Amino acid sequence: MEEENNISRRKLLGGLGASLAAAAVSPILSAEAAPGPTAAPLQDPTTKYPRPPFKGQSQPWPGLASQMDPKPDHGETSYKGSGRLQGRKALITGGDSGMGRAAAIAYAREGADVAINYLPAEEADAKEVIALIKKEGRKGIAIPGDLRDEAFCKKLVDEAVRQLGGLDIVVSNAGRQQAHASILDISTEQFDWTMKTNIYAPFWIIKAALPHLPPGSAIIGSTSEQATDPSEDLYDYAQTKAATTNYVRSLAKQLAPKGIRVNGVAPGPIWTPLQVSGGATQEKLKEFGGNTPMKRPGQPVELASIYVQLAASDASYATGQIYGSAGGKGMP
Ligand code: NAD
Ligand code: MG
């Protein structure tokens, strides 16, 4: 083993010497060798994406990314993979739009096969995602259906396992957010809808997935800055995000001995259909993200690399963590 390490180290250093020598004689080679395949030019994050004021806009729930103005960036033209998830098999709920779509595109470009779940009303967005996954030469599997139904959650996992030929990444990302100025405006039906989507569905999906997940698998929950800094008009939603952060930490402890990691992503204000289909008031939407130190909302693509990092096997010691991305505001 010691000897093997020495040999591979010698080979590595030898190889490095050769490429350094080549770089010294060839400016073209050195220019190619310097930035990695995923390197992007240095850019000021404050001016990289649209800033408020935004046009007022409203769509019937659950909304479509394709109908938003400006259109969100999910990395369609920008995300470049480098084989970090080669051969992995992922299920992403809410994979048609927003953060789920950014994760789906990035996962495929990193070499994973991807199944996405979404609502039938979102077929148009989902079709675009499936086409992008397939363009990478990966399996792209569409499994529409309503996650408020326990039987469907089980069917979703079974179908993903069957069509992917296994499962080792579960991204529980779908979410329901409707703003209500007062607790008095929230009906029991609304409250139940939010709880079923944001708390029950991950419970049902993870339960169904667990028997299929080999050691090395990753579970990722989409939580929020709302978990720790709830807005006054998101009474029901914010508490589901506190629950998400909490289940991530509990399950991480429970599943670490099985070699399964559980982490969460806590976005700040991100430009997605959820916000224009009842998630934010028109007033808030027009100035969306303006109250962050970056003075703009995030775009879904800006979280893609976090979803990749948490799934990748080189993050093998990270579990029970919440990774934030909120433009300088909020604490994960
Ligand atoms: P999004 O609207 O693009 O994604 C949410 C998805 O949830 C929808 O596409 C839909 O497919 C799915 N969904 C909702 N109810 C469902 C149901 N009953 N059955 C099946 N699917 C259902 O918006 P997004 O902002 O990308 O949301 C993704 C996650 O990020 C959510 O959990 C949300 O709470 C969280 N989040 C969003 C923000 C933000 O500012 N946009 C901030 C923090 C956290
Ligand atoms: Mg959607």
Side-chain angles (χ1 to χ4, degrees):
M1 188 64 188
E2 186 63 34
E3 180 55 12
E4 252 176 50
N5 283 344
N6 284 340
I7 291 169
S8 49
R9 194 157 175 267
R10 241 180 277 136
K11 270 195 199 150
L12 189 75
L13 289 175
L16 197 62
S19 55
L20 284 177
V25 293
S26 161
I28 294 172
L29 264 185
S30 70
E32 274 176 6
T38 57
L42 197 61
Q43 225 178 331
D44 180 346
T46 63
T47 52
K48 194 172 171 186
Y49 287 111
R51 299 161 74 102
F54 294 104
K55 275 190 205 155
Q57 56 198 287
S58 157
Q59 293 186 41
W61 183 86
L64 290 174
S66 60
Q67 303 301 309
M68 289 178 71
D69 181 13
K71 282 207 176 70
D73 184 351
H74 312 89
E76 287 88 345
T77 59
S78 59
Y79 190 91
K80 290 190 176 61
S82 57
R84 296 191 70 193
L85 303 176
Q86 201 63 45
R88 300 285 298 273
K89 300 164 197 304
L91 168 63
I92 304 175
T93 63
D96 59 300
S97 58
M99 264 78 79
R101 175 179 182 140
I105 293 169
Y107 281 11
R109 294 197 182 155
E110 296 291 355
D113 292 328
V114 185
I116 61 167
N117 162 255
Y118 52 91
L119 288 159
E122 298 170 303
E123 190 63 40
D125 274 356
K127 271 204 171 107
E128 292 178 4
V129 179
I130 294 294
L132 287 162
I133 296 170
K134 288 187 170 162
K135 207 170 149 207
E136 299 304 315
R138 310 307 319 181
K139 274 189 202 166
I141 292 154
I143 314 176
D146 193 326
L147 296 175
R148 289 175 297 166
D149 175 1
E150 179 173 6
F152 173 72
C153 288
K154 184 154 186 341
K155 216 178 97 196
L156 166 67
V157 171
D158 289 347
E159 201 49 32
V161 169
R162 192 181 67 77
Q163 295 202 49
L164 294 171
L167 189 64
D168 53 50
I169 302 172
V170 178
V171 181
S172 181
N173 164 76
R176 162 92 174 167
Q177 173 185 325
Q178 295 285 298
H180 294 282
S182 164
I183 186 173
L184 300 177
D185 301 334
I186 304 176
S187 66
T188 297
E189 193 205 354
Q190 274 302 322
F191 188 83
D192 196 50
W193 192 334
T194 308
M195 299 298 143
K196 280 271 162 28
T197 314
N198 300 5
I199 300 183
Y200 279 77
F203 166 61
W204 292 326
I205 290 168
I206 294 168
K207 255 176 87 168
L210 201 53
H212 301 283
L213 300 180
S217 296
I219 297 170
I220 300 168
S222 290
T223 176
S224 169
E225 61 177 359
Q226 293 291 326
T228 47
D229 185 15
S231 298
E232 65 276 22
D233 61 353
L234 294 175
Y235 168 84
D236 54 344
Y237 172 82
Q239 57 185 290
T240 68
K241 294 299 164 177
T244 303
T245 291
N246 197 279
Y247 92 61
V248 162
R249 293 183 174 143
S250 147
L251 262 190
K253 291 177 188 159
Q254 187 185 124
L255 300 182
K258 295 188 190 301
I260 297 170
R261 297 182 298 108
V262 189
N263 291 290
V265 181
I270 313 297
W271 191 246
T272 70
L274 167 142
Q275 299 292 356
V276 302
S277 59
T281 59
Q282 287 303 306
E283 216 181 355
K284 207 171 180 178
L285 210 56
K286 284 178 194 156
E287 291 307 316
F288 198 60
N291 63 348
T292 66
M294 292 268 185
K295 304 269 184 270
R296 65 163 179 89
Q299 293 293 325
V301 66
E302 295 182 278
L303 290 93
S305 64
I306 302 177
Y307 283 89
V308 169
Q309 171 68 12
L310 291 175
S313 47
D314 52 5
S316 38
Y317 202 52
T319 194
Q321 304 301 315
I322 306 293
Y323 284 27
S325 183
K329 196 173 135 277
M331 289 289 159

